[in-house]
Amino acid sequence: MNASSLTSIVIILLLAFCLMLPASAQQYYSSDFNECRFAFEKWGAYGCTDLDGMKYFGVYSSADVSYPTLLKESRDASLFDHHQVSEVLIDDNSEGTISCGAPDDLTLDLKEGYQLRLVDVEDDGSRVYVELTKDGEVVDQRVVGSTFEEYSASDYTGKNTYIYRNNIGKAEKIVQIAVSFKNAIKSSDSCLANYQGVFQISESPRDLSQYPVRTVREYGVNPSEWTMS
């Protein structure tokens, strides 16, 4: 068998392999990592990809921000490393309000049964006490900064960001939910807090182990600087 015949056989086998892949696998195989900027720009960016017309999260990036909050707050910042991705459920920069002390308290309704509720506000409005529930059960309670000075600072440090970490797939304590608070006030019988910036990924990852996936080994400012293997 000559070299030309061998080359032809290899090409035929590769074409056959690609045709055997499901459409979503072919799409992922032919795509590359993309940089998705958070709607709330002070968080920076994350590595993402499209599958079946949906946006999927893969890894938190340092990007070009003073404090990449979601990267810093994650014990394991990458699902890509485990050949997994998670659907981006919310990436929004719209302003909203949550409140406490009234019969019709405002809450932040998230996806997959999660809800963020305001419990109390510091007298001077500098901090908020919030509670996260899933299907009505409390899963997290936290005190978070809520000053406008921090929210508007050019060197944002993440103190105003509520963070909920979860074990997603094989990634441990990765940020699943993030909410950036803008300001808060408290009166004698009620309180409210304004937020602007919400991000949430699904707690049910999509397994890519059957697809040809490269692994992110080093994180740079943007995906073009990531070292892949």
Side-chain angles (χ1 to χ4, degrees):
M1 182 181 298
N2 57 38
S4 177
S5 299
L6 183 59
T7 300
S8 298
I9 292 174
V10 170
I11 292 174
I12 292 172
L13 290 174
L14 286 173
L15 288 173
F17 170 75
C18 290
L19 291 173
M20 289 171 62
L21 289 173
S24 58
Q26 294 180 43
Q27 178 184 359
Y28 190 79
Y29 181 73
S30 62
S31 68
D32 205 348
F33 299 107
N34 298 308
E35 180 186 61
C36 289
R37 305 289 302 188
F38 287 107
F40 180 63
E41 295 182 351
K42 292 185 179 181
W43 285 335
Y46 57 97
C48 61
T49 191
D50 289 329
L51 286 173
D52 302 329
M54 306 296 290
K55 183 189 294 184
Y56 281 80
F57 162 87
V59 58
Y60 289 118
S61 168
S62 59
D64 53 349
V65 292
S66 58
Y67 187 82
T69 308
L70 279 59
L71 171 64
K72 295 289 188 181
E73 296 294 331
S74 295
R75 178 185 299 177
D76 189 345
S78 175
L79 284 172
F80 275 147
D81 281 358
H82 305 290
H83 288 192
Q84 294 178 319
V85 290
S86 177
E87 185 180 349
V88 176
L89 301 177
I90 303 176
D91 187 6
D92 185 47
N93 195 40
S94 300
E95 187 170 354
T97 301
I98 56 178
S99 62
C100 63
D104 54 348
D105 284 343
L106 300 173
T107 60
L108 173 55
D109 295 328
L110 302 162
K111 304 294 186 181
E112 298 185 333
Y114 287 96
Q115 185 181 74
L116 191 66
R117 185 173 73 90
L118 182 63
V119 178
D120 202 358
V121 172
E122 195 84 10
D123 289 343
D124 61 0
S126 61
R127 296 190 301 174
V128 295
Y129 175 36
V130 294
E131 191 174 75
L132 183 72
T133 62
K134 178 175 171 58
D135 300 326
E137 298 292 327
V138 176
V139 295
D140 189 44
Q141 298 172 320
R142 196 173 299 272
V143 174
V144 187
S146 54
T147 64
F148 184 74
E149 289 77 13
E150 165 66 16
Y151 173 84
S152 59
S154 58
D155 55 344
Y156 185 79
T157 62
K159 294 178 181 178
N160 276 25
T161 298
Y162 167 77
I163 292 293
Y164 177 64
R165 307 173 189 84
N166 203 357
N167 297 330
I168 298 179
K170 298 176 182 178
E172 296 185 356
K173 299 298 182 183
I174 190 170
V175 173
Q176 180 188 354
I177 296 170
V179 179
S180 175
F181 284 96
K182 190 174 184 179
N183 52 43
I185 58 174
K186 183 178 182 177
S187 65
S188 59
D189 57 356
S190 64
C191 55
L192 63 84
N194 295 314
Y195 61 86
Q196 187 168 7
V198 180
F199 183 74
Q200 180 183 4
I201 59 176
S202 174
E203 63 185 19
S204 302
R206 182 167 179 172
D207 188 12
L208 298 175
S209 60
Q210 70 271 37
Y211 302 157
V213 183
R214 293 184 295 173
T215 300
V216 182
R217 292 301 183 190
E218 295 180 8
Y219 310 103
V221 173
N222 55 64
S224 64
E225 297 177 358
W226 292 350
T227 300
M228 307 288 188
S229 63

